[in-house]
Amino acid sequence: MLDVSDVVVGGEARSIEGARAWLRHHLELGRYPMRSVDGPAAVRTIGALTGVDPQQWCATWLGAADEFVAQAGAASDVRTAAKAWWQAYRFASLARFPAPNHPAKARAYELERAYFLRAVSLEDPPARRVEVPFHGRADEGESVVFYVVRPIGVARPPVVIASVGVDAGKEAAYDIARRYVDRGVAVVLVDIPGVGEAPVLAGPDAERMWDPVLDWIAANGLDADRVAVLGSAFGGYWAHKLAHTHRDRLVAAVNWGGGVHVSFQPSWQQMSCEAQSYLTEPVAVRARMFGVTTFDEYAPRCAALSLLDQGLLDTPSCPLLLVSGKDGLQSVADVTLSLEHGQPKTVRLFSGGHPAVEAAAAQDVICEWLIGHLTGSGNPPTRAWTERVTS
């Protein structure tokens, strides 16, 4: 993976006044990365920021995280300790945001994962960390790390494998997936290629890192015949691809705001560099996913992810739900393109639509659709259609 010392950061950062306004706006709306953070503590921390350079940024957010670590240590009951650990995790996540591409942010990412594990260990049911071997190439990692939450009292529960985007790790997927545990569904939280603890960088065949995850599900008391994938933002792209490449192992897949072809083209990527959904460093964050540092390096690598150019869109897939919006944060043209290829798909568009916008409404739609397919009330593709396409 790309070493944090190889990346120059800060050149794309906004002014401190603009950063504070962005953070306060996202806090007011409850929008990522400010979702579920302690309001008064966040307001104080935003006010204490003097710059967006990584060293100062991390020190300020981790200072707030330290206060919650102290509260957790002094807590007299599990509920109070859990709340404090959750806030310690969220403030450490803000210190790491948008990516651990600097030594200070890499340290913040270590703390983010540690505080997350402390928090989820106190949940009912708790989440646990799993590490399985990955037999990749010489320059790749040797394991896949993920979190698993099993619903209480459910034998061989169905499974949702959840992933998010380039500026958050598998820990952030917990907010999306928790509702499934309450419905008797196990959740598995996985980093996407090039992000977090993933053993591989993003590339045209990086979906192979899901193979050992699916193998582990089959060998550990979960229902391998009822597995779905849910991806938001860039995680949606990988869910969409898995719907084709791993269709025999999945009952359904959801692409929530992920690209397919159009939004991977250099012209769209250039335009999106100024997207208001980023606070700082959109180029550095996306480039890091491919192990490079500049737009000129990552743009062709991004284009190579196109599911159209890879010839996958006309191949059979498991049932697909596409969730997106019409506001330019994610190209709705990718949804239209997907509908012009392959078998019919389910679509839901929102006025906002990006995973950072209309999150609650989108999650409600996604959850009901996935539960329907996991419990057998969905509508899988007919055998006649599959035979016709593959013949």
Side-chain angles (χ1 to χ4, degrees):
M1 303 294 287
L2 187 67
D3 188 271
V4 293
S5 63
D6 294 334
V7 181
V8 177
V9 298
E12 300 163 305
R14 301 175 181 178
S15 68
I16 184 58
E17 294 80 7
R20 286 180 182 143
W22 188 95
L23 291 163
R24 288 170 180 143
H25 179 65
H26 282 63
L27 178 63
E28 181 181 352
L29 296 178
R31 183 179 297 172
Y32 179 80
M34 307 301 294
R35 189 179 298 137
S36 302
V37 299
D38 180 275
V43 169
R44 291 194 301 272
T45 308
I46 292 170
L49 286 169
T50 59
V52 293
D53 59 282
Q55 202 73 43
Q56 193 279 332
W57 175 272
C58 288
T60 305
W61 290 110
L62 288 180
D66 288 343
E67 296 178 10
F68 287 104
V69 171
Q71 290 180 25
S76 58
D77 61 274
V78 171
R79 183 177 177 83
T80 301
K83 287 183 176 180
W85 281 119
W86 273 114
Q87 290 303 318
Y89 150 67
R90 296 192 187 282
F91 278 83
S93 175
L94 282 161
R96 182 270 312 153
F97 181 80
N101 56 351
H102 179 278
K105 291 195 173 188
R107 173 56 180 160
Y109 178 49
E110 293 177 2
L111 293 173
E112 175 186 2
R113 300 198 311 271
Y115 298 160
F116 175 84
L117 278 172
R118 295 297 297 267
V120 296
S121 70
L122 300 177
E123 292 290 299
D124 186 25
R128 72 183 184 98
R129 182 181 183 274
V130 176
E131 185 170 357
V132 296
F134 175 72
H135 304 292
R137 297 165 187 148
D139 58 345
E140 295 177 338
E142 298 180 351
S143 64
V144 179
V145 176
F146 51 93
Y147 303 115
V148 179
V149 190
R150 296 174 182 253
I152 296 172
V154 181
R156 294 189 75 246
V159 183
V160 169
I161 303 174
S163 301
V164 289
V166 299
D167 57 357
K170 57 190 174 298
E171 295 77 21
Y174 187 87
D175 289 339
I176 295 173
R178 178 66 203 210
R179 64 176 62 202
Y180 296 93
V181 178
D182 297 336
R183 302 281 292 269
V185 177
V187 296
V188 174
L189 313 180
V190 184
D191 287 315
I192 64 171
V195 174
E197 297 179 276
V200 302
L201 294 168
D205 65 350
E207 68 276 2
R208 56 200 161 87
M209 65 164 273
W210 272 268
D211 290 333
V213 178
L214 290 163
D215 292 342
W216 183 91
I217 288 171
N220 284 273
L222 303 176
D223 192 343
D225 294 324
R226 294 188 294 162
V227 179
V229 288
L230 161 59
S232 67
F234 224 108
Y237 163 80
W238 292 108
H240 198 132
K241 186 171 189 180
L242 289 164
H244 291 274
T245 61
H246 291 63
R247 61 186 177 276
D248 294 336
R249 307 186 74 173
L250 301 172
V251 299
V254 179
N255 178 351
W256 179 15
V260 173
H261 168 78
V262 177
S263 58
F264 293 147
Q265 302 312 301
S267 58
W268 196 95
Q269 285 292 319
Q270 183 68 64
M271 176 184 66
S272 70
C273 286
E274 299 300 322
Q276 293 301 304
S277 54
Y278 281 90
L279 172 60
T280 62
E281 308 175 78
V283 169
V285 172
R286 295 174 188 172
R288 186 176 186 273
M289 182 170 55
F290 299 96
V292 297
T293 60
T294 68
F295 180 87
D296 288 341
E297 291 173 312
Y298 96 76
R301 289 170 171 82
C302 197
L305 297 182
S306 165
L307 298 183
L308 178 66
D309 293 342
Q310 290 178 24
L312 285 174
L313 290 186
D314 286 308
T315 64
S317 73
C318 68
L320 260 167
L321 169 63
L322 310 179
V323 179
S324 191
K326 301 175 289 185
D327 63 355
L329 290 177
Q330 184 65 47
S331 176
V332 74
D334 270 328
V335 174
T336 303
L337 178 70
S338 297
L339 297 179
E340 294 172 348
H341 292 268
Q343 64 204 63
K345 302 163 185 70
T346 304
V347 176
R348 179 65 162 90
L349 299 180
F350 289 90
S351 58
H354 185 275
V357 186
E358 302 288 353
Q363 287 189 48
D364 289 342
V365 169
I366 292 167
C367 184
E368 291 306 314
W369 188 87
L370 277 179
I371 292 295
H373 283 275
L374 289 168
T375 58
S377 60
N379 296 304
T382 65
R383 177 175 296 179
W385 189 94
T386 300
E387 290 176 347
R388 176 174 61 80
V389 170
T390 56
S391 61

